């Protein structure tokens, strides 16, 4: 009788361990959860919002302009920004607006105000404009341009540093939904 109950416990512990390992693998290679730490993406995302980020899309394709992505920031922590410039493109900022390869880039779909992309004169930058995005790199910017430290200041981000695509806001519950 004791052997049977010991076997039962071993089987249950084994099932729990397998479940924990499966969840860990899923969270490592497929989906991660991220919390927004700064106001750099306001009005789209707010401090404290929680997102589900999929690692899958960039296993089989490159990021697309307009997507919200999570990447390894220069401080080693995950940062979240929007893809604005693609590899090889020339980015320029004139009168607070973005120009890509000499053409005005309309961001009205996600920016509350146009003409707010000018550099903060008090924020140090390593970027000179016009700026050519290196091959294999992306130019990422926060939607809240006045409060975002992004590629305008730190330069383009290597594609290998992009962790995944932000898909879904899970918190706060009143704003739960797919990100655009």
């Amino acid at each position: 009788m004791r052997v049977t109950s010991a076997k039962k416990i071993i089987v249950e512990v084994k099932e729990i361990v397998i479940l924990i390992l499966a969840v860990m693998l899923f969270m490592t290679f497929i989906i991660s959860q991220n919390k927004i730490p700064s106001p750099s993406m306001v009005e789209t995302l707010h401090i404290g919002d929680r997102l589900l980020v999929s690692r899958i899309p960039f296993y089989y394709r490159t990021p697309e302009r307009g997507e919200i992505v999570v990447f390894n920031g220069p401080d080693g922590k995950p940062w979240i920004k929007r893809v604005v410039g693609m590899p090889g493109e020339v980015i320029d900022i004139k009168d607070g607006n973005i120009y890509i390869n000499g053409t005005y880039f309309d961001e009205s779909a996600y920016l509350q105000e146009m003409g707010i992309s000018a550099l903060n004169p008090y924020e140090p930058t390593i970027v000179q404009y016009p700026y050519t995005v290196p091959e294999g790199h992306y130019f990422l910017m926060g939607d809240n341009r006045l409060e975002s430290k992004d590629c305008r200041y730190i330069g383009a981000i290597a594609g290998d540093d992009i962790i995944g695509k932000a898909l879904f806001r899970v918190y706060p519950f009143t704003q739960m939904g797919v990100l655009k």
Side-chain angles (χ1 to χ4, degrees), residues 102-165:
T103 303
Y104 170 78
F105 179 51
D106 181 9
E107 299 180 279
S108 59
Y110 49 84
L111 290 185
Q112 297 293 313
E113 249 183 278
M114 302 313 290
I116 60 168
S117 297
L119 292 167
N120 178 345
Y122 304 106
E123 184 75 40
T125 180
I126 61 167
V127 180
Q128 299 296 313
Y129 295 93
Y131 175 76
T132 301
V133 180
E135 286 304 318
H137 288 68
Y138 295 86
F139 198 84
L140 311 174
M141 296 176 74
D143 288 357
N144 182 4
R145 303 288 162 81
L146 302 175
E147 297 285 328
S148 180
K149 185 168 184 178
D150 50 38
C151 289
R152 292 174 295 168
Y153 304 100
I154 63 173
I157 301 300
D160 290 344
D161 286 333
I162 296 176
I163 297 167
K165 177 181 175 179

Side-chain angles (χ1 to χ4, degrees), residues 83-115:
V83 177
V84 172
M86 308 300 283
E89 292 182 332
V90 177
I91 306 295
D92 205 357
I93 300 174
K94 296 177 190 169
D95 300 321
N97 293 304
I98 302 295
Y99 290 80
I100 299 174
N101 296 330
T103 303
Y104 170 78
F105 179 51
D106 181 9
E107 299 180 279
S108 59
Y110 49 84
L111 290 185
Q112 297 293 313
E113 249 183 278
M114 302 313 290

Side-chain angles (χ1 to χ4, degrees), residues 60-98:
Y60 62 87
R61 69 169 177 83
T62 57
E64 296 173 3
R65 188 181 329 276
E67 287 184 314
I68 299 172
V69 299
V70 174
F71 63 99
N72 294 315
D75 59 1
K77 296 178 181 175
W79 286 23
I80 186 161
K81 306 288 180 203
R82 189 178 297 274
V83 177
V84 172
M86 308 300 283
E89 292 182 332
V90 177
I91 306 295
D92 205 357
I93 300 174
K94 296 177 190 169
D95 300 321
N97 293 304
I98 302 295

Side-chain angles (χ1 to χ4, degrees), residues 9-53:
I9 291 171
I10 291 171
V11 168
E12 287 179 17
V13 168
K14 184 172 112 178
E15 288 175 359
I16 291 170
V17 169
I18 289 171
L19 178 65
I20 291 170
L21 288 173
V23 168
M24 287 174 56
L25 285 171
F26 185 78
M27 295 299 283
T28 301
F29 296 107
I30 304 204
I31 296 282
S32 68
Q33 178 270 140
N34 291 81
K35 182 178 178 183
I36 303 301
S38 75
S40 73
M41 288 296 289
V42 169
E43 287 294 314
T44 306
L45 300 167
H46 299 275
I47 295 173
D49 285 3
R50 292 191 179 270
L51 312 176
L52 290 181
V53 176

